[in-house]
Amino acid sequence: MRRGQIAIALPKGRLLAEAIKLFEATGVQGLEGLAESRRLLCEDFTGAYRFLVLRPADIPTYVEYGATDMGVVGKDILLEQERDVYEPLDLKYGACRLVVARPTNLEDKGRPVGFSSLRVATKYPTLTERYFTEQGVQVEIIRLSGSIELAPLAGLCERIVDLVDTGRTLQENGLEEVEEITTATARLIVNRAALKTKYQQVRGMIERLTAAIQGGGA
Amino acid sequence: MIPTAIPKGVRVLSPPEAARLRWVEKRLVSVFQRWGFREVLTPTFEYLEVFAHGAGDGVQGKAFKFVDRQTGLLLALRSDLTPQVARMVAATMQHHPLPLRLAYSASVFRHEEPQAGRQREFFQAGVELIGSDRPEADAEMISMAVEGCQEAGLRYFQIDVGQVEYLRGMLNALNPSPELRRKILSALRRKDTVELELTLRPLPVETRLKDGILNLTTLYGGEAVLEQAKVWAVTEQSRLALENLIQVYQVLKAYGLAEHIIIDLGETYAFDYHTGVVFQVFTESLGYPIGGGGRYDNLIGQFGYPCPATGFAFELERVLAALEAEGILPADRGPDFLIIDFNPDKRQALHIAQTLRNTGYAVARDIIQRDLEGSLDYARASAIPRAIILGLEGMPGDALTLRDLTTATETTFSIAGFCQQIKDGTLKWPM
């Protein structure tokens, strides 16, 4: 990172295109390469910003260590990782719901309270454990890394905790939503030291992003 | 278990690493001394009770605890120096005229996840200024923090200054349940305006108070923040806190330190025992603070000696990490000389070594039998800058060759002449 330059981490995948649009709406120019996913690293035309496209789950780490000053990442990942970073801005896009789901044909009706123990498959073990603990339910967390909705069908678990967009994937796999844990939108996160030592640039960017969101600039 | 395994969160320091740590420590401690602070030594463990005073569950929950066989009471490894010094002052120094200026440098133990600068054993060097509630005392701490950074060689650093009573005043007016308080502080800690708003919105309190708390997430920046904060100082406690912070800021400005200061009234990092101006030291090159501290006017009183105080500490490994990131760590330096002696009679070598040592140089002798190149390789690997070669085939018996390993140049001296020049100082090197 060059001194005076602000490094910003953008998430690979579904949140990327909108994130680029947002930064372009703040007046940053030169991000075409990233949008067309030809490059994973680029500087804007002025050299004031450097953008890195990273795996979403890695972004809080980059920001906490100060390897990048800011980042865009889903709230689901922030809840799961509990990193020590600032989250000053809800970017208000990419909304997904984090839900508890179960097989439609399962005999047990009602909330999981009342179960003494429950097997739950998820990509979000920390968040899931916290959620059920707060409800007083003992859960056995089964940590999976993808295709969570198949786990109940295969008899691995009675519940899943996953991110749903429209809910179609759940339906197609014979699952129904039991409860919503939270809605997760894209967030701007900022490194603690960056906010202090580069506060003029950081604050300026936060304000321009706020304006871009309010103006529907994205 | 693997025989060479080491517990998570502790480190061993090799000679170059240890030298760097001590180098930074010496620099920081020299600042403390120049400001008139005298060192105290505190025990590595004490009754857990000591650390529990006003520390909140944060630090206390992270203490390494064990049982005192004699009393059955819980003991804890030193998890924070400030309560130890507070206890010590209350117990043994009440007769001493104020102010007390005390300094320390010691390792601290906390059960942390070893991530982003956190270790389970780490080194702190800090000071406590006891007996003054004046803004000058707060400003003295911050000035010393600035000087510490400069003395260590850091160029791009900022002191982030806040006043805990500003926030506390609003929280007291809100009087939330512990659960709600935890939620508000967690959102504030992350400057998460969305969550803060959601948490505050349903509460049956006046809008001004809610807005005051909400605005804490944006009250950071330069001097202008102090003006903005006036608008949102909705309780008397907050207003007084801000007034105090402005006074401290004015002193710092008069010292010419304004460029190193940023204000943040929304920070929540302070320990529960903090009562006034608090601060953290940030560098541009590191994602987490390298030090911090603040005022704690009620802590010593909890040990039976009501007395205002303030203090701060640097975390040595973090200062080192910042220096490393800025690329300004001093090069590693081993001993000043390696004596490579091929004579069977070692008296000449001993005499040369003794002469150099008496003058203050660090001198090692190669005591393994090998050829000259082997010995020189050893010197380079040990960061020894100069070799003195004796008794090499073809060399006169009363001569020595001084080889400078950084420039690869050689000079030949008579042994007697060399020793004389060392003694009278006509031949010298930086130590």
Side-chain angles (χ1 to χ4, degrees):
Chain A
M1 205 189 319
R2 220 172 55 223
R3 179 168 144 74
Q5 194 178 48
I6 299 284
I8 303 172
L10 301 179
K12 205 174 272 187
R14 69 181 182 92
L15 296 177
L16 180 62
E18 200 75 2
I20 292 171
K21 276 194 215 163
L22 260 180
F23 281 100
E24 283 175 340
T26 68
V28 175
Q29 289 183 313
L31 304 183
E32 292 76 18
L34 290 183
E36 292 153 15
S37 54
R38 280 185 285 116
R39 302 167 64 186
L40 298 176
L41 177 76
C42 86
E43 283 186 13
D44 75 324
F45 288 158
T46 65
Y49 302 100
R50 159 186 285 219
F51 290 85
L52 290 80
V53 178
L54 301 168
R55 281 176 60 108
D58 297 337
I59 288 179
T61 312
Y62 272 77
V63 175
E64 186 182 22
Y65 279 82
T68 63
D69 298 303
M70 301 186 183
V72 171
V73 68
K75 179 68 179 172
D76 52 315
I77 290 171
L78 292 174
L79 285 171
E80 173 61 23
Q81 298 194 358
E82 301 181 308
R83 293 285 181 163
D84 194 10
V85 294
Y86 294 125
E87 302 169 33
L89 203 53
D90 183 347
L91 300 174
K92 301 205 169 120
Y93 77 91
C96 264
R97 294 178 318 118
L98 201 62
V99 303
V100 185
R102 62 167 188 185
T104 318
N105 59 8
L106 204 69
E107 282 308 299
D108 70 88
K109 292 289 172 195
R111 289 160 52 84
V113 183
F115 282 82
S116 60
S117 170
L118 203 60
R119 277 183 306 181
V120 187
T122 186
K123 276 189 281 191
Y124 304 96
T126 314
L127 181 160
T128 301
E129 181 148 22
R130 197 170 58 226
Y131 176 75
F132 283 103
T133 305
E134 277 169 15
Q135 305 217 335
V137 182
Q138 278 275 7
V139 287
E140 183 178 328
I141 308 281
I142 298 169
R143 186 191 192 134
L144 299 178
S145 46
S147 305
I148 313 292
E149 55 284 346
L150 296 183
L153 300 180
L156 187 56
C157 60
E158 291 95 37
R159 292 282 187 279
I160 64 165
V161 167
D162 206 6
L163 213 50
V164 300
D165 190 357
T166 58
R168 238 189 39 224
T169 316
L170 286 185
Q171 257 175 31
E172 283 169 359
N173 288 289
L175 298 171
E176 64 181 7
E177 182 181 328
V178 189
E179 272 169 311
E180 177 181 310
I181 297 178
T182 187
T183 305
T185 50
R187 300 295 171 102
L188 179 76
I189 59 174
V190 178
N191 172 263
R192 302 191 90 84
L195 186 113
K196 311 293 182 185
T197 59
K198 307 174 186 173
Y199 75 89
Q200 276 150 332
Q201 292 117 295
V202 169
R203 196 174 181 139
M205 180 50 89
I206 294 174
E207 280 163 8
R208 286 195 295 280
L209 282 169
T210 310
I213 295 161
Q214 280 164 357
Chain B
M1 207 183 69
I2 306 164
T4 51
I6 184 168
K8 210 170 155 180
V10 297
R11 305 172 57 197
V12 286
L13 300 182
S14 64
E17 291 170 315
R20 278 185 215 162
L21 189 91
R22 293 301 182 207
W23 178 84
V24 165
E25 180 185 44
K26 206 169 131 190
R27 293 257 156 158
L28 295 175
V29 168
S30 78
V31 173
F32 303 162
Q33 282 169 348
R34 287 204 297 270
W35 283 73
F37 285 72
R38 299 200 59 197
E39 188 181 15
V40 291
L41 294 171
T42 68
T44 307
F45 59 87
E46 293 206 39
Y47 291 122
L48 174 66
E49 204 48 33
V50 172
F51 303 103
H53 273 291
D57 29 304
V59 168
Q60 198 204 329
K62 288 176 181 167
F64 284 90
K65 298 162 199 143
F66 52 107
V67 175
D68 180 11
R69 287 192 203 182
Q70 206 165 5
T71 60
L73 292 171
L74 275 177
L75 302 172
L77 291 184
R78 176 168 55 222
S79 60
D80 186 356
L81 268 297
T82 304
Q84 288 194 303
V85 175
R87 189 207 65 79
M88 172 183 181
V89 167
T92 66
M93 300 180 89
Q94 288 201 27
H95 62 279
H96 201 286
L98 298 174
L100 283 164
R101 285 191 165 89
L102 307 175
Y104 56 79
S105 180
S107 51
V108 176
F109 307 86
R110 284 181 204 160
H111 200 276
E112 302 266 17
E113 270 316 299
Q115 289 253 301
R118 292 183 289 270
Q119 289 288 323
R120 291 184 180 171
E121 180 184 17
F122 54 96
F123 291 90
Q124 276 193 342
V127 294
E128 312 291 351
L129 171 52
I130 292 156
S132 168
D133 58 3
R134 305 279 311 142
E136 286 77 10
D138 300 282
E140 180 166 327
M141 293 298 96
I142 295 169
S143 307
M144 285 175 68
V146 170
E147 207 172 304
C149 289
Q150 289 166 337
E151 182 71 30
L154 288 166
R155 285 169 295 179
Y156 310 116
F157 61 89
Q158 291 281 319
I159 317 287
D160 174 40
V161 185
Q163 224 287 8
V164 284
E165 302 298 326
Y166 186 82
L167 158 66
R168 204 170 273 155
M170 294 189 208
L171 277 184
N172 287 348
L174 192 68
N175 194 23
S177 66
E179 171 62 15
L180 185 59
R181 186 188 160 87
R182 197 189 56 74
K183 267 181 100 165
I184 293 172
L185 287 177
S186 154
L188 272 175
R189 174 165 180 80
R190 289 175 285 119
K191 298 201 190 295
D192 184 347
T193 325
V194 186
E195 178 154 340
L196 196 57
E197 200 164 358
L198 284 176
T199 310
L200 293 172
R201 196 183 292 154
L203 301 181
V205 292
E206 51 170 330
T207 322
R208 245 183 93 65
L209 182 57
K210 286 186 201 177
D211 286 347
I213 297 176
L214 265 176
N215 264 285
L216 287 167
T217 57
T218 55
L219 283 180
Y220 62 88
E223 192 176 358
V225 170
L226 296 171
E227 276 307 308
Q228 291 162 30
K230 279 183 188 163
V231 182
W232 299 109
V234 294
T235 71
E236 182 64 5
Q237 193 177 352
S238 303
R239 203 186 57 72
L240 289 172
L242 183 61
E243 211 166 86
N244 169 253
L245 179 60
I246 290 172
Q247 286 172 338
V248 174
Y249 189 82
Q250 293 308 338
V251 179
L252 291 169
K253 217 172 146 183
Y255 291 171
L257 299 179
E259 58 160 328
H260 291 299
I261 309 296
I262 96 147
I263 308 287
D264 190 344
L265 283 160
E267 273 297 352
T268 60
Y269 55 79
F271 293 138
D272 280 7
Y273 60 63
H274 282 132
T275 57
V277 166
V278 291
F279 63 96
Q280 282 187 302
V281 186
F282 285 97
T283 61
E284 270 184 33
S285 50
L286 214 58
Y288 36 88
I290 60 167
R295 180 163 285 287
Y296 53 94
D297 285 348
N298 301 330
L299 182 61
I300 309 177
Q302 292 186 34
F303 295 102
Y305 179 35
C307 188
T310 177
F312 80 101
F314 280 107
E315 298 201 9
L316 298 186
E317 288 101 331
R318 293 184 177 197
V319 177
L320 271 175
L323 288 168
E324 202 170 351
E326 284 196 26
I328 44 178
L329 267 183
D332 181 40
R333 263 190 59 180
D336 300 300
F337 294 93
L338 179 70
I339 297 187
I340 306 167
D341 181 14
F342 295 98
N343 289 321
D345 180 349
K346 301 295 176 194
R347 273 176 297 185
Q348 277 182 329
L350 279 174
H351 174 65
I352 296 166
Q354 210 52 52
T355 308
L356 284 164
R357 286 179 190 138
N358 287 345
T359 315
Y361 296 104
V363 185
R365 283 178 50 217
D366 196 5
I367 50 172
I368 291 180
Q369 288 266 332
R370 52 187 146 199
D371 62 13
L372 180 60
E373 252 339 287
S375 291
L376 292 175
D377 283 344
Y378 168 78
R380 286 185 205 102
S382 312
I384 301 174
R386 285 166 225 100
I388 290 170
I389 303 156
L390 297 168
L392 201 59
E393 235 184 270
M395 275 175 73
D398 64 347
L400 64 82
T401 300
L402 174 68
R403 189 180 170 94
D404 186 320
L405 291 166
T406 37
T407 58
T409 50
E410 282 188 352
T411 324
T412 303
F413 294 88
S414 80
I415 291 175
F418 180 82
C419 289
Q420 191 50 48
Q421 289 187 63
I422 294 293
K423 273 188 211 156
D424 63 28
T426 45
L427 203 52
K428 62 182 171 187
W429 296 269
M431 281 190 228

